[in-house]
Amino acid sequence: LGHVLDGEVSAAYAAVQGPGGLYLISGGVGRAALLNPPPRELERLFVALAPLEEQFDLIVVDHGAGLSYATLAHLAAANRLLLVTTHEVTSLSDAYALYKQACVVNPELRTGVVLNRAPDELTARAAWERFEGAAAKFLAKSPELIGWVPHDESVGHSVQARKPIVLRAPDSPAGLAIARVADWSVIDEPSTGLSFYEAAKRALR
């Protein structure tokens, strides 16, 4: 992504083909400029990425925790948000803060929550109830619970093997849970209105 931002290559050239018809543009390593680019650079990046919308059925943007210009622009432009958190209090607080901001910049955003690395279903459900209760009380709305992914040693093994768990160990507890998350029907709903990157550019202004 840094090479695209620098204008060295096109977004299509930077996309690396993976399994199952997926393509990936990695964020790169050690690129401080990509952590929180200023709006002008983000707009230039969005222009470079815009042609991808004509080439792919679905574009997934993966953000880490926290809010930045890029995160806010993507939240404002997206029509679906998959919010991944854990049952821990700090993680739930970060997720709630992001959801609250999403409701401000994009009230129509469809949001689903996934509880990751949960020790058991009871813990995941309790965490979800805390999140949903806070959202309903203070925001008068709440997202949808898509599911939970258990803590699973197979994930660490897949990371070491550099292969996604849904390919390396699809029948593992985590692999099966992730497959259920992928069945969220909202993912397949068609986009309407402005193109994603055009909307993201407008959100920067």
Side-chain angles (χ1 to χ4, degrees):
L1 199 60
H3 295 296
V4 177
L5 180 60
D6 292 341
E8 297 175 11
V9 297
S10 68
Y13 185 87
V16 177
Q17 186 171 5
L22 296 176
Y23 284 76
L24 171 72
I25 300 180
S26 71
V29 178
R31 291 296 300 262
L34 290 175
L35 294 178
N36 192 14
R40 182 173 295 181
E41 288 195 357
L42 272 177
E43 184 168 358
R44 186 156 47 85
L45 180 61
F46 292 162
V47 169
L49 293 173
L52 296 178
E53 293 187 65
E54 300 296 324
Q55 301 175 39
F56 295 99
D57 300 317
L58 181 69
I59 293 177
V60 178
V61 182
D62 180 23
H63 279 284
L67 292 167
S68 64
Y69 287 127
T71 305
L72 291 173
H74 285 142
L75 287 174
N79 50 28
R80 296 169 291 253
L81 169 64
L82 191 64
L83 189 55
V84 181
T85 183
T86 73
H87 65 283
E88 297 168 353
V89 173
T90 51
S91 183
L92 285 173
S93 297
D94 285 345
Y96 176 79
L98 189 143
Y99 179 63
K100 179 180 178 180
Q101 195 62 44
C103 291
V104 172
V105 299
N106 191 346
E108 304 303 317
L109 186 64
R110 296 286 302 275
T111 303
V113 172
V114 176
L115 273 299
N116 194 26
R117 300 203 309 268
D120 51 57
E121 183 174 5
L122 186 63
T123 302
R125 291 285 176 183
W128 162 247
E129 288 172 5
R130 292 197 301 274
F131 187 101
E132 182 186 34
K137 180 178 180 179
F138 297 109
L139 304 176
K141 64 188 302 184
S142 63
E144 174 187 352
L145 177 63
I146 301 176
W148 66 283
V149 180
H151 177 78
D152 186 349
E153 291 185 0
S154 298
V155 175
H157 298 156
S158 291
V159 172
Q160 292 297 323
R162 299 171 66 86
K163 189 171 185 180
I165 190 169
V166 292
L167 298 180
R168 187 176 188 272
D171 294 328
S172 65
L176 292 171
I178 292 171
R180 289 192 292 269
V181 168
D183 283 334
W184 189 35
S185 61
V186 175
I187 294 175
D188 294 322
E189 292 180 0
S191 300
T192 58
L194 286 174
S195 73
F196 175 68
Y197 286 112
E198 182 60 35
K201 283 195 302 178
R202 290 193 179 188
L204 292 172
R205 299 178 186 137

mmCIF file of all heavy atoms in Angstrom, residues 131-175:
data_model
loop_
_atom_site.group_PDB
_atom_site.id
_atom_site.type_symbol
_atom_site.label_atom_id
_atom_site.label_comp_id
_atom_site.label_asym_id
_atom_site.label_seq_id
_atom_site.Cartn_x
_atom_site.Cartn_y
_atom_site.Cartn_z
ATOM 1 N N PHE A 131 -21.934 -5.053 25.792
ATOM 2 C CA PHE A 131 -21.796 -4.146 24.647
ATOM 3 C C PHE A 131 -23.168 -3.688 24.165
ATOM 4 O O PHE A 131 -23.413 -2.486 23.977
ATOM 5 C CB PHE A 131 -21.053 -4.863 23.517
ATOM 6 C CG PHE A 131 -20.700 -3.973 22.356
ATOM 7 C CD1 PHE A 131 -19.412 -3.483 22.214
ATOM 8 C CD2 PHE A 131 -21.648 -3.614 21.404
ATOM 9 C CE1 PHE A 131 -19.077 -2.659 21.151
ATOM 10 C CE2 PHE A 131 -21.319 -2.788 20.339
ATOM 11 C CZ PHE A 131 -20.025 -2.313 20.216
ATOM 12 N N GLU A 132 -24.064 -4.624 23.961
ATOM 13 C CA GLU A 132 -25.402 -4.283 23.452
ATOM 14 C C GLU A 132 -26.142 -3.383 24.435
ATOM 15 O O GLU A 132 -26.833 -2.436 24.033
ATOM 16 C CB GLU A 132 -26.196 -5.562 23.207
ATOM 17 C CG GLU A 132 -27.584 -5.312 22.628
ATOM 18 C CD GLU A 132 -28.412 -6.568 22.527
ATOM 19 O OE1 GLU A 132 -28.263 -7.444 23.405
ATOM 20 O OE2 GLU A 132 -29.207 -6.674 21.585
ATOM 21 N N GLY A 133 -26.007 -3.652 25.730
ATOM 22 C CA GLY A 133 -26.681 -2.848 26.734
ATOM 23 C C GLY A 133 -26.206 -1.407 26.718
ATOM 24 O O GLY A 133 -27.021 -0.468 26.788
ATOM 25 N N ALA A 134 -24.896 -1.201 26.610
ATOM 26 C CA ALA A 134 -24.351 0.157 26.562
ATOM 27 C C ALA A 134 -24.804 0.876 25.295
ATOM 28 O O ALA A 134 -25.179 2.062 25.334
ATOM 29 C CB ALA A 134 -22.833 0.112 26.630
ATOM 30 N N ALA A 135 -24.789 0.177 24.160
ATOM 31 C CA ALA A 135 -25.192 0.794 22.898
ATOM 32 C C ALA A 135 -26.664 1.186 22.932
ATOM 33 O O ALA A 135 -27.049 2.284 22.507
ATOM 34 C CB ALA A 135 -24.914 -0.152 21.737
ATOM 35 N N ALA A 136 -27.512 0.295 23.450
ATOM 36 C CA ALA A 136 -28.945 0.583 23.508
ATOM 37 C C ALA A 136 -29.234 1.744 24.457
ATOM 38 O O ALA A 136 -30.092 2.587 24.177
ATOM 39 C CB ALA A 136 -29.699 -0.665 23.946
ATOM 40 N N LYS A 137 -28.512 1.809 25.554
ATOM 41 C CA LYS A 137 -28.765 2.844 26.552
ATOM 42 C C LYS A 137 -28.296 4.216 26.101
ATOM 43 O O LYS A 137 -29.021 5.211 26.243
ATOM 44 C CB LYS A 137 -28.075 2.465 27.861
ATOM 45 C CG LYS A 137 -28.263 3.485 28.979
ATOM 46 C CD LYS A 137 -27.602 3.027 30.271
ATOM 47 C CE LYS A 137 -27.800 4.053 31.382
ATOM 48 N NZ LYS A 137 -27.170 3.612 32.657
ATOM 49 N N PHE A 138 -27.085 4.276 25.542
ATOM 50 C CA PHE A 138 -26.495 5.580 25.245
ATOM 51 C C PHE A 138 -26.622 5.998 23.782
ATOM 52 O O PHE A 138 -26.508 7.192 23.470
ATOM 53 C CB PHE A 138 -25.022 5.580 25.643
ATOM 54 C CG PHE A 138 -24.803 5.375 27.117
ATOM 55 C CD1 PHE A 138 -24.279 4.192 27.599
ATOM 56 C CD2 PHE A 138 -25.148 6.360 28.026
ATOM 57 C CE1 PHE A 138 -24.085 3.989 28.962
ATOM 58 C CE2 PHE A 138 -24.954 6.177 29.383
ATOM 59 C CZ PHE A 138 -24.429 4.986 29.856
ATOM 60 N N LEU A 139 -26.847 5.043 22.875
ATOM 61 C CA LEU A 139 -26.942 5.375 21.462
ATOM 62 C C LEU A 139 -28.326 5.100 20.885
ATOM 63 O O LEU A 139 -28.598 5.451 19.741
ATOM 64 C CB LEU A 139 -25.901 4.570 20.659
ATOM 65 C CG LEU A 139 -24.441 4.718 21.107
ATOM 66 C CD1 LEU A 139 -23.546 3.791 20.288
ATOM 67 C CD2 LEU A 139 -23.983 6.163 20.989
ATOM 68 N N ALA A 140 -29.162 4.451 21.678
ATOM 69 C CA ALA A 140 -30.525 4.099 21.257
ATOM 70 C C ALA A 140 -30.532 3.199 20.024
ATOM 71 O O ALA A 140 -31.487 3.206 19.245
ATOM 72 C CB ALA A 140 -31.357 5.354 21.008
ATOM 73 N N LYS A 141 -29.475 2.454 19.843
ATOM 74 C CA LYS A 141 -29.397 1.472 18.764
ATOM 75 C C LYS A 141 -28.277 0.500 19.109
ATOM 76 O O LYS A 141 -27.443 0.777 19.969
ATOM 77 C CB LYS A 141 -29.139 2.134 17.417
ATOM 78 C CG LYS A 141 -27.806 2.854 17.321
ATOM 79 C CD LYS A 141 -27.685 3.653 16.038
ATOM 80 C CE LYS A 141 -27.827 2.847 14.796
ATOM 81 N NZ LYS A 141 -27.614 3.628 13.561
ATOM 82 N N SER A 142 -28.256 -0.621 18.446
ATOM 83 C CA SER A 142 -27.179 -1.570 18.701
ATOM 84 C C SER A 142 -26.916 -2.377 17.441
ATOM 85 O O SER A 142 -27.798 -2.522 16.588
ATOM 86 C CB SER A 142 -27.535 -2.519 19.860
ATOM 87 O OG SER A 142 -28.657 -3.303 19.531
ATOM 88 N N PRO A 143 -25.698 -2.899 17.315
ATOM 89 C CA PRO A 143 -25.371 -3.714 16.143
ATOM 90 C C PRO A 143 -25.953 -5.119 16.291
ATOM 91 O O PRO A 143 -26.697 -5.411 17.231
ATOM 92 C CB PRO A 143 -23.845 -3.733 16.156
ATOM 93 C CG PRO A 143 -23.501 -3.622 17.603
ATOM 94 C CD PRO A 143 -24.549 -2.737 18.214
ATOM 95 N N GLU A 144 -25.597 -5.966 15.365
ATOM 96 C CA GLU A 144 -26.061 -7.352 15.356
ATOM 97 C C GLU A 144 -24.925 -8.266 15.792
ATOM 98 O O GLU A 144 -23.777 -8.076 15.376
ATOM 99 C CB GLU A 144 -26.521 -7.707 13.937
ATOM 100 C CG GLU A 144 -26.890 -9.157 13.721
ATOM 101 C CD GLU A 144 -27.179 -9.467 12.266
ATOM 102 O OE1 GLU A 144 -27.244 -8.511 11.450
ATOM 103 O OE2 GLU A 144 -27.323 -10.656 11.929
ATOM 104 N N LEU A 145 -25.217 -9.231 16.634
ATOM 105 C CA LEU A 145 -24.218 -10.222 17.000
ATOM 106 C C LEU A 145 -24.143 -11.266 15.901
ATOM 107 O O LEU A 145 -25.116 -11.969 15.624
ATOM 108 C CB LEU A 145 -24.563 -10.889 18.331
ATOM 109 C CG LEU A 145 -23.611 -12.014 18.769
ATOM 110 C CD1 LEU A 145 -22.205 -11.476 19.006
ATOM 111 C CD2 LEU A 145 -24.134 -12.721 20.008
ATOM 112 N N ILE A 146 -22.986 -11.362 15.251
ATOM 113 C CA ILE A 146 -22.814 -12.339 14.184
ATOM 114 C C ILE A 146 -22.388 -13.686 14.756
ATOM 115 O O ILE A 146 -22.817 -14.740 14.303
ATOM 116 C CB ILE A 146 -21.774 -11.854 13.160
ATOM 117 C CG1 ILE A 146 -22.225 -10.533 12.561
ATOM 118 C CG2 ILE A 146 -21.578 -12.892 12.067
ATOM 119 C CD1 ILE A 146 -21.212 -9.935 11.620
ATOM 120 N N GLY A 147 -21.512 -13.652 15.762
ATOM 121 C CA GLY A 147 -21.053 -14.904 16.346
ATOM 122 C C GLY A 147 -19.824 -14.692 17.203
ATOM 123 O O GLY A 147 -19.409 -13.560 17.461
ATOM 124 N N TRP A 148 -19.253 -15.796 17.631
ATOM 125 C CA TRP A 148 -18.047 -15.734 18.453
ATOM 126 C C TRP A 148 -17.077 -16.806 17.977
ATOM 127 O O TRP A 148 -17.464 -17.848 17.442
ATOM 128 C CB TRP A 148 -18.386 -15.902 19.931
ATOM 129 C CG TRP A 148 -18.933 -17.257 20.301
ATOM 130 C CD1 TRP A 148 -20.199 -17.722 20.078
ATOM 131 C CD2 TRP A 148 -18.219 -18.312 20.938
ATOM 132 N NE1 TRP A 148 -20.325 -19.006 20.529
ATOM 133 C CE2 TRP A 148 -19.129 -19.397 21.081
ATOM 134 C CE3 TRP A 148 -16.915 -18.464 21.418
ATOM 135 C CZ2 TRP A 148 -18.772 -20.606 21.670
ATOM 136 C CZ3 TRP A 148 -16.559 -19.671 21.999
ATOM 137 C CH2 TRP A 148 -17.477 -20.724 22.124
ATOM 138 N N VAL A 149 -15.788 -16.490 18.143
ATOM 139 C CA VAL A 149 -14.719 -17.406 17.730
ATOM 140 C C VAL A 149 -13.965 -17.826 18.988
ATOM 141 O O VAL A 149 -13.471 -16.974 19.731
ATOM 142 C CB VAL A 149 -13.754 -16.728 16.730
ATOM 143 C CG1 VAL A 149 -12.642 -17.692 16.319
ATOM 144 C CG2 VAL A 149 -14.516 -16.245 15.500
ATOM 145 N N PRO A 150 -13.861 -19.128 19.258
ATOM 146 C CA PRO A 150 -13.212 -19.573 20.491
ATOM 147 C C PRO A 150 -11.700 -19.436 20.441
ATOM 148 O O PRO A 150 -11.096 -19.432 19.362
ATOM 149 C CB PRO A 150 -13.620 -21.050 20.579
ATOM 150 C CG PRO A 150 -13.793 -21.465 19.148
ATOM 151 C CD PRO A 150 -14.363 -20.260 18.456
ATOM 152 N N HIS A 151 -11.113 -19.303 21.615
ATOM 153 C CA HIS A 151 -9.652 -19.397 21.709
ATOM 154 C C HIS A 151 -9.258 -20.791 21.260
ATOM 155 O O HIS A 151 -9.784 -21.786 21.740
ATOM 156 C CB HIS A 151 -9.195 -19.150 23.145
ATOM 157 C CG HIS A 151 -7.712 -19.294 23.324
ATOM 158 N ND1 HIS A 151 -6.836 -18.300 22.938
ATOM 159 C CD2 HIS A 151 -6.961 -20.316 23.811
ATOM 160 C CE1 HIS A 151 -5.597 -18.709 23.188
ATOM 161 N NE2 HIS A 151 -5.650 -19.914 23.718
ATOM 162 N N ASP A 152 -8.328 -20.879 20.327
ATOM 163 C CA ASP A 152 -8.003 -22.156 19.694
ATOM 164 C C ASP A 152 -6.522 -22.169 19.353
ATOM 165 O O ASP A 152 -6.039 -21.304 18.625
ATOM 166 C CB ASP A 152 -8.859 -22.314 18.426
ATOM 167 C CG ASP A 152 -8.717 -23.675 17.764
ATOM 168 O OD1 ASP A 152 -7.810 -24.437 18.134
ATOM 169 O OD2 ASP A 152 -9.525 -23.960 16.856
ATOM 170 N N GLU A 153 -5.799 -23.157 19.864
ATOM 171 C CA GLU A 153 -4.364 -23.252 19.583
ATOM 172 C C GLU A 153 -4.086 -23.464 18.098
ATOM 173 O O GLU A 153 -2.984 -23.176 17.623
ATOM 174 C CB GLU A 153 -3.741 -24.382 20.398
ATOM 175 C CG GLU A 153 -3.700 -24.098 21.902
ATOM 176 C CD GLU A 153 -2.973 -25.193 22.669
ATOM 177 O OE1 GLU A 153 -2.519 -26.150 22.027
ATOM 178 O OE2 GLU A 153 -2.874 -25.075 23.902
ATOM 179 N N SER A 154 -5.064 -23.935 17.375
ATOM 180 C CA SER A 154 -4.877 -24.138 15.933
ATOM 181 C C SER A 154 -4.591 -22.830 15.212
ATOM 182 O O SER A 154 -3.932 -22.811 14.169
ATOM 183 C CB SER A 154 -6.127 -24.795 15.319
ATOM 184 O OG SER A 154 -6.370 -26.062 15.882
ATOM 185 N N VAL A 155 -5.089 -21.724 15.769
ATOM 186 C CA VAL A 155 -4.842 -20.424 15.144
ATOM 187 C C VAL A 155 -3.357 -20.102 15.177
ATOM 188 O O VAL A 155 -2.767 -19.681 14.180
ATOM 189 C CB VAL A 155 -5.654 -19.312 15.853
ATOM 190 C CG1 VAL A 155 -5.287 -17.941 15.284
ATOM 191 C CG2 VAL A 155 -7.144 -19.573 15.718
ATOM 192 N N GLY A 156 -2.727 -20.291 16.348
ATOM 193 C CA GLY A 156 -1.293 -20.051 16.454
ATOM 194 C C GLY A 156 -0.493 -20.930 15.515
ATOM 195 O O GLY A 156 0.481 -20.475 14.899
ATOM 196 N N HIS A 157 -0.900 -22.184 15.379
ATOM 197 C CA HIS A 157 -0.205 -23.092 14.460
ATOM 198 C C HIS A 157 -0.351 -22.621 13.018
ATOM 199 O O HIS A 157 0.593 -22.723 12.223
ATOM 200 C CB HIS A 157 -0.765 -24.510 14.606
ATOM 201 C CG HIS A 157 -0.570 -25.080 15.978
ATOM 202 N ND1 HIS A 157 -1.360 -26.076 16.498
ATOM 203 C CD2 HIS A 157 0.333 -24.784 16.958
ATOM 204 C CE1 HIS A 157 -0.969 -26.371 17.728
ATOM 205 N NE2 HIS A 157 0.064 -25.598 18.020
ATOM 206 N N SER A 158 -1.534 -22.096 12.685
ATOM 207 C CA SER A 158 -1.751 -21.595 11.327
ATOM 208 C C SER A 158 -0.904 -20.365 11.050
ATOM 209 O O SER A 158 -0.385 -20.191 9.943
ATOM 210 C CB SER A 158 -3.235 -21.265 11.125
ATOM 211 O OG SER A 158 -4.012 -22.436 11.113
ATOM 212 N N VAL A 159 -0.771 -19.505 12.057
ATOM 213 C CA VAL A 159 0.080 -18.326 11.901
ATOM 214 C C VAL A 159 1.520 -18.747 11.639
ATOM 215 O O VAL A 159 2.198 -18.212 10.747
ATOM 216 C CB VAL A 159 -0.004 -17.425 13.153
ATOM 217 C CG1 VAL A 159 1.031 -16.303 13.074
ATOM 218 C CG2 VAL A 159 -1.399 -16.844 13.293
ATOM 219 N N GLN A 160 2.001 -19.714 12.411
ATOM 220 C CA GLN A 160 3.368 -20.196 12.224
ATOM 221 C C GLN A 160 3.548 -20.823 10.848
ATOM 222 O O GLN A 160 4.603 -20.690 10.227
ATOM 223 C CB GLN A 160 3.721 -21.217 13.313
ATOM 224 C CG GLN A 160 3.825 -20.629 14.709
ATOM 225 C CD GLN A 160 4.951 -19.613 14.821
ATOM 226 O OE1 GLN A 160 6.010 -19.771 14.226
ATOM 227 N NE2 GLN A 160 4.705 -18.537 15.576
ATOM 228 N N ALA A 161 2.510 -21.492 10.372
ATOM 229 C CA ALA A 161 2.576 -22.139 9.053
ATOM 230 C C ALA A 161 2.313 -21.155 7.915
ATOM 231 O O ALA A 161 2.435 -21.515 6.746
ATOM 232 C CB ALA A 161 1.566 -23.281 8.986
ATOM 233 N N ARG A 162 1.931 -19.906 8.272
ATOM 234 C CA ARG A 162 1.629 -18.867 7.281
ATOM 235 C C ARG A 162 0.524 -19.310 6.315
ATOM 236 O O ARG A 162 0.613 -19.125 5.101
ATOM 237 C CB ARG A 162 2.897 -18.464 6.518
ATOM 238 C CG ARG A 162 3.980 -17.901 7.428
ATOM 239 C CD ARG A 162 5.285 -17.714 6.681
ATOM 240 N NE ARG A 162 5.187 -16.701 5.656
ATOM 241 C CZ ARG A 162 5.370 -15.394 5.843
ATOM 242 N NH1 ARG A 162 5.686 -14.955 7.040
ATOM 243 N NH2 ARG A 162 5.271 -14.535 4.852
ATOM 244 N N LYS A 163 -0.524 -19.896 6.910
ATOM 245 C CA LYS A 163 -1.655 -20.344 6.108
ATOM 246 C C LYS A 163 -2.937 -20.097 6.901
ATOM 247 O O LYS A 163 -3.008 -20.450 8.079
ATOM 248 C CB LYS A 163 -1.529 -21.832 5.778
ATOM 249 C CG LYS A 163 -2.555 -22.321 4.770
ATOM 250 C CD LYS A 163 -2.245 -23.737 4.321
ATOM 251 C CE LYS A 163 -3.213 -24.180 3.224
ATOM 252 N NZ LYS A 163 -2.923 -25.561 2.769
ATOM 253 N N PRO A 164 -3.948 -19.492 6.306
ATOM 254 C CA PRO A 164 -5.186 -19.201 7.037
ATOM 255 C C PRO A 164 -5.784 -20.457 7.653
ATOM 256 O O PRO A 164 -5.785 -21.538 7.037
ATOM 257 C CB PRO A 164 -6.109 -18.627 5.954
ATOM 258 C CG PRO A 164 -5.188 -18.100 4.911
ATOM 259 C CD PRO A 164 -4.000 -19.021 4.909
ATOM 260 N N ILE A 165 -6.334 -20.299 8.848
ATOM 261 C CA ILE A 165 -6.862 -21.463 9.551
ATOM 262 C C ILE A 165 -8.028 -22.097 8.809
ATOM 263 O O ILE A 165 -8.229 -23.314 8.875
ATOM 264 C CB ILE A 165 -7.269 -21.086 10.989
ATOM 265 C CG1 ILE A 165 -7.573 -22.361 11.784
ATOM 266 C CG2 ILE A 165 -8.434 -20.108 10.994
ATOM 267 C CD1 ILE A 165 -7.731 -22.140 13.256
ATOM 268 N N VAL A 166 -8.792 -21.306 8.062
ATOM 269 C CA VAL A 166 -9.918 -21.881 7.331
ATOM 270 C C VAL A 166 -9.459 -22.774 6.186
ATOM 271 O O VAL A 166 -10.257 -23.542 5.641
ATOM 272 C CB VAL A 166 -10.859 -20.779 6.798
ATOM 273 C CG1 VAL A 166 -11.561 -20.073 7.943
ATOM 274 C CG2 VAL A 166 -10.094 -19.785 5.935
ATOM 275 N N LEU A 167 -8.181 -22.684 5.822
ATOM 276 C CA LEU A 167 -7.610 -23.585 4.818
ATOM 277 C C LEU A 167 -6.782 -24.689 5.459
ATOM 278 O O LEU A 167 -6.808 -25.834 5.028
ATOM 279 C CB LEU A 167 -6.738 -22.805 3.833
ATOM 280 C CG LEU A 167 -7.450 -21.736 3.006
ATOM 281 C CD1 LEU A 167 -6.453 -21.056 2.072
ATOM 282 C CD2 LEU A 167 -8.594 -22.341 2.205
ATOM 283 N N ARG A 168 -6.036 -24.334 6.508
ATOM 284 C CA ARG A 168 -5.154 -25.312 7.151
ATOM 285 C C ARG A 168 -5.910 -26.252 8.082
ATOM 286 O O ARG A 168 -5.621 -27.452 8.129
ATOM 287 C CB ARG A 168 -4.063 -24.595 7.939
ATOM 288 C CG ARG A 168 -2.995 -25.515 8.520
ATOM 289 C CD ARG A 168 -1.905 -24.712 9.205
ATOM 290 N NE ARG A 168 -0.789 -25.563 9.605
ATOM 291 C CZ ARG A 168 -0.724 -26.208 10.769
ATOM 292 N NH1 ARG A 168 -1.719 -26.095 11.641
ATOM 293 N NH2 ARG A 168 0.316 -26.963 11.061
ATOM 294 N N ALA A 169 -6.876 -25.699 8.821
ATOM 295 C CA ALA A 169 -7.629 -26.516 9.776
ATOM 296 C C ALA A 169 -9.089 -26.081 9.770
ATOM 297 O O ALA A 169 -9.601 -25.549 10.757
ATOM 298 C CB ALA A 169 -7.031 -26.381 11.172
ATOM 299 N N PRO A 170 -9.790 -26.300 8.654
ATOM 300 C CA PRO A 170 -11.170 -25.811 8.546
ATOM 301 C C PRO A 170 -12.135 -26.444 9.542
ATOM 302 O O PRO A 170 -13.168 -25.849 9.859
ATOM 303 C CB PRO A 170 -11.552 -26.157 7.097
ATOM 304 C CG PRO A 170 -10.631 -27.275 6.724
ATOM 305 C CD PRO A 170 -9.348 -26.996 7.432
ATOM 306 N N ASP A 171 -11.808 -27.642 10.023
ATOM 307 C CA ASP A 171 -12.698 -28.317 10.969
ATOM 308 C C ASP A 171 -12.336 -28.041 12.421
ATOM 309 O O ASP A 171 -12.943 -28.619 13.334
ATOM 310 C CB ASP A 171 -12.680 -29.827 10.710
ATOM 311 C CG ASP A 171 -13.276 -30.184 9.355
ATOM 312 O OD1 ASP A 171 -14.200 -29.469 8.913
ATOM 313 O OD2 ASP A 171 -12.817 -31.162 8.740
ATOM 314 N N SER A 172 -11.360 -27.177 12.660
ATOM 315 C CA SER A 172 -11.024 -26.784 14.025
ATOM 316 C C SER A 172 -12.135 -25.902 14.579
ATOM 317 O O SER A 172 -12.930 -25.336 13.819
ATOM 318 C CB SER A 172 -9.700 -26.029 14.040
ATOM 319 O OG SER A 172 -9.825 -24.804 13.338
ATOM 320 N N PRO A 173 -12.228 -25.753 15.903
ATOM 321 C CA PRO A 173 -13.273 -24.892 16.468
ATOM 322 C C PRO A 173 -13.256 -23.471 15.901
ATOM 323 O O PRO A 173 -14.300 -22.917 15.559
ATOM 324 C CB PRO A 173 -12.954 -24.905 17.965
ATOM 325 C CG PRO A 173 -12.298 -26.245 18.189
ATOM 326 C CD PRO A 173 -11.487 -26.485 16.948
ATOM 327 N N ALA A 174 -12.066 -22.878 15.790
ATOM 328 C CA ALA A 174 -11.976 -21.523 15.250
ATOM 329 C C ALA A 174 -12.313 -21.500 13.768
ATOM 330 O O ALA A 174 -12.985 -20.581 13.284
ATOM 331 C CB ALA A 174 -10.583 -20.950 15.488
ATOM 332 N N GLY A 175 -11.846 -22.492 13.027
ATOM 333 C CA GLY A 175 -12.128 -22.552 11.596
ATOM 334 C C GLY A 175 -13.618 -22.641 11.311
ATOM 335 O O GLY A 175 -14.142 -21.951 10.428
#
